[in-house]
């Protein structure tokens, strides 16, 4: 079952936070704001922390102001969720978060979106160990498209079923049109 919902603010902090520091940052950003949920992920192989703030769109200006004041090096992007699929392991704990961020050459944009929505995201969602698969569009800056996978185990990524989904003819046709691509594995910290 596909569901599409809210706008999300994704904050990239440019350094790796631990759980305590992420909790403090979340509290400072959302204090007094009702209905804002926070989750945070530290990159495994890079110095970065991604923080998702979900909830009331009217809170975004206040959160932006707090970010600028308290975390001046942070980069914030507004994401519009376009696809949300429960995974084969929906309901299980998801301590791993894998993200592919990319732009695409203009002439391949329709093909990329059809591939992600019809084959790739549903295929990776069906892999045992995938808890949830989501797609977002960032309309104001690059990279424009984000595909996010919540994983029960890190071994899900790169497992034979995962690799089989990545090895389709359609995947081979679309992937060369990617530009400005970043692939990152994160560990959940909040």
């Amino acid at each position: 079952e596909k569901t599409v919902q809210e706008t999300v603010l994704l904050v990239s902090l440019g350094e790796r936070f631990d759980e305590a520091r992420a909790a403090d940052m979340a509290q400072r950003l959302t204090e007094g704001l009702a209905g804002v949920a926070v989750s945070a992920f530290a990159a495994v192989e890079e110095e970065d922390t991604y923080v998702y703030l979900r909830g009331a769109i009217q809170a975004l200006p206040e959160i932006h102001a707090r970010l600028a004041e308290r975390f001046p090096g942070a980069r914030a992007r507004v994401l519009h969720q376009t696809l949300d699929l429960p995974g084969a392991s929906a309901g299980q704990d998801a301590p791993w978060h894998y993200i592919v961020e990319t732009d695409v050459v203009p002439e391949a944009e329709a093909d990329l979106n059809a591939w992600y929505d019809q084959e790739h995201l549903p295929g990776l969602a069906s892999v045992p160990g995938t808890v949830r698969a989501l797609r977002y569009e960032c309309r104001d800056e690059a990279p424009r498209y984000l595909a996010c996978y919540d994983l029960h185990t890190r071994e899900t990524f790169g497992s034979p079923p995962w690799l089989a989904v990545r090895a389709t003819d359609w995947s081979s046709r679309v992937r060369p049109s990617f530009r400005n691509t970043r692939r990152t594995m994160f560990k959940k910290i909040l």
Side-chain angles (χ1 to χ4, degrees), residues 7 19 29 34 40 44 81 83 92 101 104 129 149 154 159 176 178:
T7 299
E19 191 173 330
L29 287 179
V44 174
Q81 185 175 301
L83 193 57
Q92 293 188 346
E101 302 169 79
V104 63
Y149 308 92
R154 187 169 180 189
S159 67
F178 283 21

Side-chain angles (χ1 to χ4, degrees), residues 17-179:
F17 279 38
D18 62 17
E19 191 173 330
R21 192 165 174 214
D24 177 65
M25 183 224 51
Q27 192 269 330
R28 289 204 259 159
L29 287 179
T30 62
E31 187 172 11
L33 300 175
V36 178
V38 180
S39 54
F41 302 87
V44 174
E45 296 176 0
E46 298 176 28
E47 293 297 318
D48 208 348
T49 302
Y50 274 21
V51 179
Y52 293 89
L53 296 119
R54 292 177 167 83
I57 193 83
Q58 62 269 24
L60 286 180
E62 177 62 28
I63 292 170
H64 272 290
R66 292 177 186 186
L67 269 171
E69 177 186 325
R70 298 172 184 161
F71 302 94
R75 175 181 176 219
R77 295 188 283 167
V78 175
L79 305 181
H80 303 274
Q81 185 175 301
T82 61
L83 193 57
D84 180 355
L85 300 175
S89 298
Q92 293 188 346
D93 186 40
W96 301 96
H97 185 68
Y98 178 65
I99 302 176
V100 177
E101 302 169 79
T102 195
D103 290 315
V104 63
V105 295
E107 59 272 16
E109 192 158 15
D111 197 30
L112 171 112
N113 285 316
W115 168 74
Y116 255 124
D117 293 349
Q118 296 169 26
E119 179 184 276
H120 198 65
L121 210 75
L124 291 177
S126 73
V127 171
T130 302
V131 175
R132 187 176 181 197
L134 301 119
R135 273 196 82 206
Y136 296 100
E137 181 181 1
C138 180
R139 298 175 186 153
D140 301 323
E141 59 182 279
R144 182 172 180 179
Y145 296 106
L146 290 85
C148 305
Y149 308 92
D150 293 331
L151 307 174
H152 181 60
T153 67
R154 187 169 180 189
E155 292 73 29
T156 302
F157 173 80
S159 67
W162 185 277
L163 295 176
V165 172
R166 290 182 40 85
T168 68
D169 290 342
W170 199 356
S171 296
S172 296
R173 184 178 78 229
V174 170
R175 206 167 278 116
S177 64
F178 283 21
R179 297 294 182 271

